Amino acid sequence: KKSLVSGSLRTDFKEYKEGFDRQAINLASELTYVLLGGRERLSTYVRLEHENASLDVESYVRFTAGLRGERDFAWGVGVFAGYEWQTVRHEERDRELLRDKRRDRIHEVEVGCRKRLHRAMWLDLTHTYTQAESSVSLYGYRRNVTMLSLKLSF
């Protein structure tokens, strides 16, 4: 078995078009660990993100952790499943609308299968269930998304 560790740091400068008086600087870091075992892959990751926006109610800190497993079978067929958890804490409250600062918790489960069509082409069928809980009821939701996608690698 082999393992890989990778990390990344990213900075984004966001500037919105006319009519919006909003700019933001987004700093993000990620650490990923992958365990490779023949036809199986198990990966886990943690991500920390801070967005400092010109409007304080748009500024937040987000922490994400995830786990994903993959298994390849014969004839280019594979399956995968994953779980991701996020917590988001907004730094200020919208004084006109909210009594408290907004806090979100998001759970996401993904399952799918893959078929390799060519050396650099795959067909993926994925179903994702998302449950978002928020201290502001407007931002709480449950969502089911099923997606069929064609992926090219070059």
Side-chain angles (χ1 to χ4, degrees):
K1 293 190 177 197
K2 296 180 184 177
S3 61
L4 304 167
V5 176
S6 67
S8 67
L9 296 172
R10 188 186 79 228
T11 302
D12 293 324
F13 299 94
K14 300 178 180 180
E15 192 164 323
Y16 295 88
K17 293 187 181 252
E18 294 176 28
F20 292 98
D21 185 26
R22 291 194 293 170
Q23 289 81 35
I25 298 173
N26 184 286
L27 304 169
S29 60
E30 182 172 338
L31 182 63
T32 303
Y33 175 77
V34 181
L35 183 61
L36 304 166
R39 294 178 167 219
E40 297 92 17
R41 284 175 301 290
L42 182 64
S43 58
T44 184
Y45 56 90
V46 291
R47 203 176 297 134
L48 183 61
E49 177 182 350
H50 179 252
E51 179 143 311
N52 187 5
S54 58
L55 293 174
D56 287 338
V57 296
E58 301 291 335
S59 296
Y60 63 84
V61 174
R62 173 182 291 144
F63 176 78
T64 305
L67 180 67
R68 180 181 171 95
E70 300 178 46
R71 171 72 161 100
D72 292 330
F73 297 100
W75 303 295
V77 174
V79 295
F80 52 91
Y83 172 75
E84 183 176 278
W85 174 77
Q86 287 184 29
T87 180
V88 184
R89 181 181 51 84
H90 289 261
E91 296 180 355
E92 292 295 327
R93 68 181 176 91
D94 186 336
R95 286 175 170 71
E96 296 173 10
L97 299 174
L98 306 174
R99 283 184 275 146
D100 299 316
K101 293 180 187 177
R102 180 176 152 200
R103 295 182 187 276
D104 302 332
R105 277 189 312 247
I106 302 166
H107 303 271
E108 192 166 272
V109 177
E110 175 187 71
V111 294
C113 59
R114 161 178 301 132
K115 171 69 175 139
R116 182 181 288 241
L117 302 174
H118 186 265
R119 188 179 74 204
M121 186 184 306
W122 297 265
L123 189 63
D124 279 10
L125 178 62
T126 307
H127 182 79
T128 305
Y129 172 74
T130 305
Q131 180 177 329
E133 302 162 352
S134 179
S135 60
V136 179
S137 61
L138 176 66
Y139 295 101
Y141 62 90
R142 289 190 169 108
R143 175 177 62 203
N144 284 286
V145 175
T146 301
M147 186 168 47
L148 180 65
S149 54
L150 180 65
K151 297 184 177 182
L152 285 172
S153 178
F154 53 91

